[in-house]
Structures are given as structure tokens and as C-alpha cells.
Amino acid sequence: MKKKEKICLVYIDDDREEAVSHYLAEEYVNELCDIEYLEEDFIPGNGYEGLLKKETVKAANVIIIDSKLFENDSIKYSGKFSGEEFRMVLRRVFPYIEVLVISQNGESEEYDIIPKYRSGSASTADEHYAHVLKDKVDEAIRRVVTFRNISKKLENNKEIDKVLVERTVGSLRGIEEYQHLSKSDIDKLIETFEHI
């Protein structure tokens, strides 16, 4: 029997909704993967830069983030920043982390936003999230697993530049060290080391 993939699923909110936490921690199941579920409290004064430095974020494979996180007036930088904008920034820094945005303001197909549960609905919170969130999380996990499978194939391909492969695979694993080093930078480091 093939060993299940391990997926780190992280929920980020400045005011965590218990219904989301409960569904993800207790009810959500993915038959193909073992899920490690973590939560990260967003501290508005730290801005999105602080969030990018969190080990929880770096270790994540799939992040579920509230849309209104960055619209708090106490944030130290000018302007406001939404969860959907954070998704774009995170894509640049950690391109292989999948990000899903949820909002109390309801669904938005234009920005691919998932609606939070509203009390007084005909369904329970767990039923709501099983309906609107499960398939989205499953699809995000499928993309992560696909990238992992391709990275294994890439590591075995001897025709591709080794540094490029290491940077790509390192990025998939949340390792930042290789992101800003070029092949010439690494060659210079090796040359300097050999000279010493």
C-alpha cells in the first residue's frame, strides 16, 4: 500500500471563526493524505511581512485565509491589504503554497472567495463548509501532490541544470535560501571557497 502524503493545512485569521476551526480540525478528511492542521493568529500590527516570516506559513502546503485580515486601520503601513492580495504576494514568495480566501461578505467568483457560514442558515456550519470548502481544499491538495510528483521527476532528470532543480524543489519545500541566488552567484561562492 502506498504511503499517504502529508499535507500541512493552515487557517489564518485575526479573529478566528470557531466554525471554520472546528470543520478543518474535526470534520475535514482527505482520503489521499494525512492532514496536519495548524492555526495562525494574524496580528494586525505586524502586517503581511510578519506573516510571511512565520514558520507556520513557511511550512504550509495549503492556507485558508480570511479576506478582511489586512483591512484593520491599526496596520503600520499605508493602505489596506486583502486576503486575496496576500494570496498574490505569497505566490511570489512561496509559489507552491496553495491559498484559499474565505469571507464573511459572501462568495465572489471574480476573486475566487469562499463564503463563511452565516448563522440562521438552513444548514449547519459543518454542512456549509462540507459544501463550499471541502472540494476547494481537496483540489488545492491535488495541486500540491502533483507538484511534488513533478519535483521528484525533475530531481531525476540529469538534463536540467542542477542549481535550477535545487532552487525549484527547495521552493516547493518552503526553503527560501535558493530564491535569490543565481548560478553565477553560487559559482563565485564555490570559486572563493576553493581559493581559501
Side-chain angles (χ1 to χ4, degrees):
M1 183 177 196
K2 186 177 176 183
K3 183 180 175 186
K4 284 186 170 184
E5 294 276 344
K6 183 179 176 187
I7 295 291
C8 183
L9 175 64
V10 178
Y11 171 40
I12 302 172
D13 207 329
D14 61 339
D15 184 20
R16 255 186 283 133
E17 184 181 310
E18 286 305 314
V20 175
S21 294
H22 177 266
Y23 176 75
L24 294 172
E26 304 295 330
E27 301 296 324
Y28 176 74
V29 175
N30 184 289
E31 294 76 24
L32 303 175
C33 301
D34 288 327
I35 305 296
E36 176 186 11
Y37 175 69
L38 303 171
E39 295 180 342
E40 183 66 51
D41 291 327
F42 175 69
I43 300 167
N46 293 341
Y48 75 91
E49 297 95 341
L51 200 52
L52 289 172
K53 293 175 184 174
K54 294 281 190 176
E55 291 303 317
T56 310
V57 171
K58 292 178 187 179
N61 300 115
V62 178
I63 291 176
I64 297 169
I65 190 167
D66 187 273
S67 177
K68 297 295 183 192
L69 271 190
F70 301 95
E71 295 187 2
N72 185 315
D73 290 335
S74 69
I75 294 177
K76 293 179 183 177
Y77 56 92
S78 61
K80 295 183 179 185
F81 205 72
S82 69
E84 33 300 8
E85 291 168 319
F86 178 73
R87 175 172 43 199
M88 293 301 294
V89 170
L90 192 72
R91 177 74 62 194
R92 168 63 182 99
V93 179
F94 299 111
Y96 302 107
I97 296 177
E98 295 291 327
V99 180
L100 302 173
V101 180
I102 59 174
S103 175
Q104 195 64 51
N105 293 334
E107 185 174 17
S108 168
E109 289 186 22
E110 182 180 4
Y111 297 113
D112 195 21
I113 296 175
I114 301 162
K116 283 186 175 180
Y117 175 74
R118 291 178 186 251
S119 60
S121 300
S123 61
T124 67
D126 286 342
E127 290 169 341
H128 171 78
Y129 288 120
H131 176 71
V132 300
L133 190 56
K134 180 175 178 18
D135 288 346
K136 298 269 189 180
V137 175
D138 286 346
E139 182 57 36
I141 289 172
R142 275 192 289 278
R143 285 191 297 270
V144 169
V145 172
T146 298
F147 279 126
R148 285 180 182 174
N149 291 336
I150 293 169
S151 74
K152 290 172 190 169
K153 186 176 178 182
L154 187 63
E155 285 178 298
N156 294 324
N157 189 335
K158 304 302 179 202
E159 301 299 315
I160 300 175
D161 180 46
K162 184 178 179 184
V163 173
L164 178 61
V165 171
E166 287 178 3
R167 288 171 69 184
T168 303
V169 172
S171 180
L172 177 61
R173 294 179 182 145
I175 301 169
E176 295 177 86
E177 289 93 32
Y178 290 116
Q179 282 199 334
H180 304 293
L181 290 177
S182 68
K183 183 178 181 331
S184 63
D185 292 334
I186 293 170
D187 288 343
K188 286 177 189 173
L189 286 171
I190 292 169
E191 185 179 314
T192 303
F193 180 77
E194 286 175 345
H195 180 68
I196 293 172

